[in-house]
Amino acid sequence: MNHSPWLAQLNRTRPIEPLSQNLSADTIIVGGGIAGISTAFFILTKTTHSVVLLEAGKVAHAATGHNAGQITSYFEKTFTELAERYGIVRTTAAHKAIEEDARILLESIFVQAQLTTPFSQFIGHDGLSREDQVIKYLSDMQKKALAGLRVRPMLVAKEWAGYLTIPHELIPYILVVSQENILSVLETDDTQFIAAIPFLSGCMNSAMFSEELVGYLLSIYPDRFTLCEHTAVSKVVLGKDEVLLHAGINTVTGSQIVLCTNGFESIEISNPHGEDIDTAFHHEVQGVVGYMAGYKEPLTKAPFASIYSHEGMNESNPYFYTTRRPYENGVNSTAYNLTCIGGPEVYLPDRATYDANKEYPMEVSDRIATFASRHYKHSPHMDFYWHGLMGYTKSWVRLVGHERKNRRLLYNLGCNGVGILTSVYGADRIARILNEEILAASIFDPQ
Ligand SMILES: Cc1cc2nc3c(=O)[nH]c(=O)nc-3n(C[C@H](O)[C@H](O)[C@H](O)COP(=O)(O)OP(=O)(O)OC[C@H]3O[C@@H](n4cnc5c(N)ncnc54)[C@H](O)[C@@H]3O)c2cc1C
């Protein structure tokens, strides 16, 4: 059972058109999730290239149709960890890029393509339950603030503030409030939470967004844009003067290829005139299956997002997160709020394939029910259970840009668990690279 509320909302009428002849284009995009469709948008709007986009299944039916839909700039490594690896300058630029530029880019797509997909923005909260978490994230906030990034003060419960040993220099980054206030912003009855970090959040059905956007591109660029669904690319040959893709009995040639595949799938990459790319590529991304459940309730509360227990970044001790947004399914149906709960994750063995139709494990639904009853003092009846594949690069940072061993190959992939804004940011960066703009080095550059 894999029943996504986002795919249930799609009202798709477009027929599926697979690749049925050999084609050529300036740029070939592989993958029709939010990364591939946004990359097509920026290439078509910012360059004169023709684009062929090849999608193995249907547009937006992979991770883009199976996520939590939070619009958040969250990095899954702290600022401190990223700065140790990439330096302060690049890490600060990356934070600005995702916290500010990516949101502006997303809004610019909405405006230019006149999209009607619902999109909301609000402040979410990240709940902390231990002193070491409080100190670690305050210290991270201090580094971000010193680098010139905007930080919102951490809310710390006054009932606990006196027991916490907070270094003097971190005091400017806290705001002491009642614990009741903290539990209220986290919408929980669980008194383990002693602090909360506010963050800019939002909600969007990224499948609906991608489907609407691809419709716009097909209607505005009929001469420059071709979409082929149900077209799995099996082999890419990177030649000296062109790239050649094999998909079934047909081929597509182009000047360059952009892989927007979330990092997976069985594409053989041949680089006959240079170093081997295939081996490293197939070991670059770790597959992680993320599980979610959601329930409908009356439309009485505002959109909401929260994260609980910041530290649990492994299988046995997952962090949980919730989002709530208005939800309507079908033209005549009543509008509800849909609250989604996510957290449990399962790591896939190297090169193992993910089965999107795999039964939802009872053990996972039990864990979600346990979380719900601890937080809300009741176990809501779930209307949806779904799972999706996340691709974690070794660095836990998305790859955007040229493959160094052959510049005809570019990537916008390796989503990690928070990839909507980074996909859109990566899409714009790819178009700017193809436009031969000089860009500063970035933490997203493939190493
Ligand atoms: C459970 C879960 C919750 C998440 N929650 C959030 C969240 O709240 N906020 C957030 O920002 N992000 C979230 N994410 C991550 C987010 O969904 C992804 O980062 C984003 O959708 C990635 O988009 P993509 O286009 O890179 O990948 P995908 O949507 O997976 O698209 C890749 C496409 O490539 C195609 N493809 C692959 N191989 C081939 C091939 N050989 N030939 C042709 N096509 C191919 C696939 O069929 C697929 O359609 C979540 C992910 C999951 C799984």
Side-chain angles (χ1 to χ4, degrees), residues 152-167:
R152 294 179 169 81
M154 180 190 289
L155 310 180
V156 176
K158 69 170 183 286
E159 294 83 345
W160 289 91
Y163 298 102
L164 303 175
T165 317
I166 299 176

Side-chain angles (χ1 to χ4, degrees), residues 6 29-38 53-74 76 202 204 206-207 210 228 230-236 245-247 259-268 288-292 319 321 323 325 341-345 354 386-392 398 412-423:
W6 319 131
I29 297 173
V30 184
I34 189 168
I37 304 296
S38 305
L53 193 155
L54 307 171
E55 163 53 47
K58 289 197 276 184
V59 160
H61 274 56
T64 299
H66 291 90
N67 55 30
Q70 269 196 36
I71 305 299
T72 166
S73 325
Y74 194 72
E76 295 198 66
M204 181 180 86
S206 56
S210 303
C228 303
H230 282 191
T231 301
V233 174
S234 54
K235 185 170 180 182
V236 174
L245 272 74
H246 295 266
L259 288 185
C260 300
T261 54
N262 199 358
F264 298 96
E265 308 308 336
S266 46
I267 302 180
E268 182 192 335
V288 179
V289 183
Y291 289 91
M292 305 217 53
Y319 68 107
Y321 51 97
T323 55
R325 86 284 305 274
I341 302 175
E345 297 178 345
Y354 161 69
W386 69 102
H387 51 85
L389 186 59
M390 306 186 252
Y392 281 86
R398 193 175 185 88
N412 180 10
L413 57 76
C415 69
N416 74 44
V418 187
I420 293 176
L421 283 176
T422 45
S423 292

Side-chain angles (χ1 to χ4, degrees), residues 112-147:
Q112 187 162 347
Q114 298 186 356
L115 303 185
T116 58
T117 298
F119 171 62
S120 54
Q121 281 207 90
F122 50 87
I123 299 293
H125 288 86
D126 198 343
L128 307 181
S129 53
R130 297 200 315 265
E131 179 178 24
D132 61 312
Q133 293 175 324
V134 170
I135 307 297
K136 175 178 170 182
Y137 289 103
L138 278 176
S139 161
D140 210 54
M141 286 163 70
Q142 182 197 31
K143 291 195 179 70
K144 285 177 77 175
L146 292 175

